Amino acid sequence: MKYTDKLRAMCRPAAAVIAASLLFAACDNDEETEKRGPGPDPEPETELSFACDVTDITASSARVIVSPTDGYTGYYYFDVMEKTEFETQYADNLQVLADRFEAMVQETADRYIEAGQVSSIEELMESAIASQGIADYEYQTLNPLTDYCVWACGVDLQGKVTSDISVIKEFTTLDVEHSGMTFDIA
């Protein structure tokens, strides 16, 4: 046998092992791709759509019901803010609002973890801050005759904003009901 024939004879079994390993790795990778979908890890949503309904509006309270649309099943956050505050402080730079939200989450998590009420920021987000599916909350400390807006965005369990922030609804609280009672003081 020539030297090159000997080399080929020794390399063939090694080549078969390498080919089998690559095939196995490719099959394993296809299984992972099926679980997460084709291509690289998906980028976070940049724009989400929400349905929002505001009911039971009084002078100091309102019930807000929010639900993501377009099949979004991840976590999101929503809140109510006075419309003038939103317009003057955040409308021109929504990143400031995102940064404020993320700082609030971190501060809250630090306090709750220190107090032993939660063990991680993820636990706090999942149990008290982030929402999934249809969320329903009654705001009870609103001001009478004030314009409010409901804003929402996608979030992850580390307390980071993962989408654009959008105003999804506006409403105005009612005037305080006066009893009509009069008193004569003598």
Side-chain angles (χ1 to χ4, degrees), residues 159-177:
K160 303 296 180 198
V161 173
T162 61
S163 76
D164 292 339
I165 294 175
S166 56
V167 173
I168 57 175
K169 189 81 165 186
E170 295 179 3
F171 67 97
T172 303
T173 51
L174 303 178
D175 195 4
V176 175
E177 289 185 30

Side-chain angles (χ1 to χ4, degrees), residues 52 55 64 109 178:
C52 181
T55 64
V64 178
H178 300 283

Side-chain angles (χ1 to χ4, degrees), residues 34-108:
E34 283 180 28
K35 289 179 189 172
R36 92 172 180 294
D41 288 336
E43 289 293 317
E45 297 273 346
T46 57
E47 189 175 314
L48 297 177
S49 298
F50 296 90
C52 181
D53 195 19
V54 181
T55 64
D56 305 330
I57 300 171
T58 69
S60 62
S61 67
R63 180 177 172 208
V64 178
I65 304 163
V66 175
S67 177
T69 59
D70 301 329
Y72 180 73
T73 58
Y75 290 96
Y76 66 95
Y77 176 79
F78 71 95
D79 203 357
V80 168
M81 179 183 300
E82 285 190 25
K83 185 177 175 184
T84 55
E85 178 186 2
F86 181 84
E87 289 174 346
T88 59
Q89 294 185 32
Y90 306 111
D92 293 334
N93 189 356
L94 293 174
Q95 186 59 49
V96 173
L97 182 55
D99 293 343
R100 178 181 156 227
F101 167 78
E102 290 175 2
M104 179 272 305
V105 168
Q106 188 62 57
E107 290 169 15
T108 304

